[in-house]
Amino acid sequence: MNKPTVHDIAKEAGVSLATVDRVLNARPGVREKTIAKVNAAVERLGYVRDTYAANLARQRQYRFVFVLPEGPSQFTETLRAALQEAYASQIADRVVLRTVSVPANDPHAIVRALRALDTDRLDGVAIMAPETPQVRDAIARLKEAGLAGVAVATDLPNSKRDYFIGINNLSAGRTAGLLMGRFAGGQGEVLVVTNSMRSRDSLERRLGFDEVMKSDFPAMTVLPSIETYDDPARMASVIADVVENRPGVVGLYSMGLGNAPLLDALREAGRAGDLVVIAHELTPKTREALQRNELAAVITQNVGHLVRSALRVLRAFCDEQSIFEAQERIRIEIVLRENLY
């Protein structure tokens, strides 16, 4: 059977097409009794509105902003490139999109940027930032103003965000633990580094990593997490100290986005290719390191899927439509040197 149309609704309700259009688009000038008749006809016929076509007819535009961390992160650069690619595709049809850069480790600067957004000229916000009480309050303000809000890559579960788009970071950490234990032979010490433990993704990855190491590889010792705060000099100092004072270290787990300074520091210390190193996110730097056997594995996600999902979900919330969960689920991918191509 064909799907019911507005013509069928008009016939079923005994009203004109113009009246059906006014009711479906919540425009004034229709009596309550007539609205009830049209809605009853919609219910009986099982009519599902084509939001895309309706928005096209109204020349609806979606105004979105992506709030992303600034700094020397190749993952963020890859994310920005994916945004540009998506913006030129059909998924961004009638979308006005811009990005705002914020300091990753300065919650007050992040809040200032969120408060500076003109909520009257926006429909939705996608945010990649650490969760702090100040950030949660700023997101609550955006929601009170009627904006759709999604967290991207790193979750903000205690905020009023509508949706999280990214991998399950607890599972990603567990994956890293299994790979580390097997590649390192279940013996020795493991160093863990990240940009900042303020990031929810690092917290969840560390939790998952520790669970697997404790249960499956009890002979291995996982050292406390080292935070480098996007400081290459601090990263170099940490690696140099480990090389000199921790001869039992056999593996290194990089939970955050500072892989470029990490790899540089390992090369400078003469340990590149000497340790089992597992990192996150496939970038030009981590790809090169895989090819050179300086990384054992990279746990990653499809950044293009991440961006397209964010746009779809923001539009769905703006249109009060349901979300196709299976389509928006971001999968964990394991990249080795042998499956790079």
Side-chain angles (χ1 to χ4, degrees):
M1 294 179 62
N2 293 329
K3 293 181 179 179
T5 68
V6 290
H7 294 273
D8 298 321
I9 296 172
K11 183 178 179 180
E12 179 75 12
V15 299
S16 68
L17 281 173
T19 298
V20 172
D21 179 74
R22 283 195 292 271
V23 173
L24 293 180
N25 290 289
R27 285 195 282 267
V30 185
R31 292 180 299 173
E32 289 296 328
K33 182 178 179 180
T34 304
I35 293 173
K37 287 175 59 179
V38 172
N39 287 332
V42 167
E43 184 70 23
R44 286 194 299 272
L45 294 172
Y47 173 78
V48 178
R49 192 178 184 206
D50 186 343
T51 306
Y52 182 90
N55 287 337
L56 183 63
R58 290 182 294 162
Q59 293 297 300
R60 165 74 187 271
Q61 281 191 323
Y62 301 87
R63 302 160 298 177
F64 300 147
V65 62
F66 277 66
V67 179
L68 303 175
E70 61 188 19
S73 165
Q74 286 201 337
F75 175 73
T76 306
E77 292 173 8
T78 304
L79 190 61
R80 291 179 190 275
L83 271 170
Q84 289 295 325
E85 183 178 343
Y87 198 27
S89 69
Q90 186 177 1
I91 188 67
D93 189 26
R94 301 186 316 286
V95 170
V96 177
L97 179 66
R98 67 185 180 96
T99 60
V100 172
S101 298
V102 295
N105 297 310
D106 187 343
H108 298 290
I110 295 170
V111 168
R112 285 195 297 271
L114 293 176
R115 287 180 175 172
L117 296 175
D118 187 349
T119 57
D120 291 333
R121 296 178 178 272
L122 283 176
D123 298 302
V125 181
I127 304 170
M128 180 180 171
E131 185 176 38
T132 65
Q134 299 94 331
V135 170
R136 288 197 294 267
D137 290 344
I139 292 172
R141 172 184 170 272
L142 296 176
K143 290 301 303 172
E144 288 170 3
L147 271 62
V150 299
V152 174
T154 182
D155 199 5
L156 304 165
N158 299 309
S159 73
K160 292 188 176 182
R161 59 94 173 126
D162 294 305
Y163 203 81
F164 168 57
I165 300 160
I167 59 174
N168 182 319
N169 282 299
L170 182 67
S171 295
R174 292 181 61 85
T175 301
L178 183 64
L179 293 173
M180 179 62 73
R182 291 187 176 179
F183 286 169
Q187 300 285 335
E189 295 180 330
V190 179
L191 178 67
V192 180
V193 298
T194 188
N195 306 72
S196 171
M197 291 302 291
R198 285 180 178 174
S199 296
R200 184 82 183 192
D201 52 353
S202 287
L203 286 169
E204 292 178 346
R205 289 169 184 177
R206 178 69 204 238
L207 179 60
F209 187 79
D210 286 349
E211 285 178 351
V212 171
M213 297 301 288
K214 182 178 179 180
S215 63
D216 293 9
F217 307 101
M220 299 193 77
T221 300
V222 184
L223 301 175
S225 301
I226 301 294
E227 299 173 283
T228 61
Y229 307 112
D230 294 316
D231 183 351
R234 179 174 171 83
M235 178 69 80
S237 175
V238 167
I239 298 302
D241 181 65
V242 168
V243 169
E244 182 177 354
N245 299 309
R246 309 292 303 210
V249 169
V250 297
L252 192 157
Y253 176 33
S254 176
M255 299 189 298
L257 303 178
N259 292 317
L262 168 65
L263 292 165
D264 290 341
L266 286 171
R267 290 163 187 158
E268 185 176 341
R271 298 301 298 272
D274 192 27
L275 299 173
V276 176
V277 183
I278 295 172
H280 285 268
E281 310 311 343
L282 189 63
T283 66
K285 279 282 188 181
T286 54
R287 177 181 289 274
E288 178 191 11
L290 281 169
Q291 292 169 330
R292 295 171 57 166
N293 273 334
E294 294 170 342
L295 288 178
V298 172
I299 299 168
T300 192
Q301 55 195 309
N302 187 310
V303 179
H305 186 185
L306 196 77
V307 166
R308 293 190 298 273
S309 179
L311 292 172
R312 282 193 298 264
V313 169
L314 284 172
R315 288 175 64 149
F317 278 108
C318 289
D319 292 334
E320 298 182 351
Q321 296 293 303
S322 59
I323 295 168
F324 186 24
E325 297 284 350
Q327 184 182 27
E328 312 311 345
R329 187 175 300 116
I330 310 297
R331 295 177 57 190
I332 295 171
E333 300 177 8
I334 302 171
V335 183
L336 312 173
R337 185 188 63 177
E338 287 71 18
N339 65 2
L340 266 176
Y341 303 103

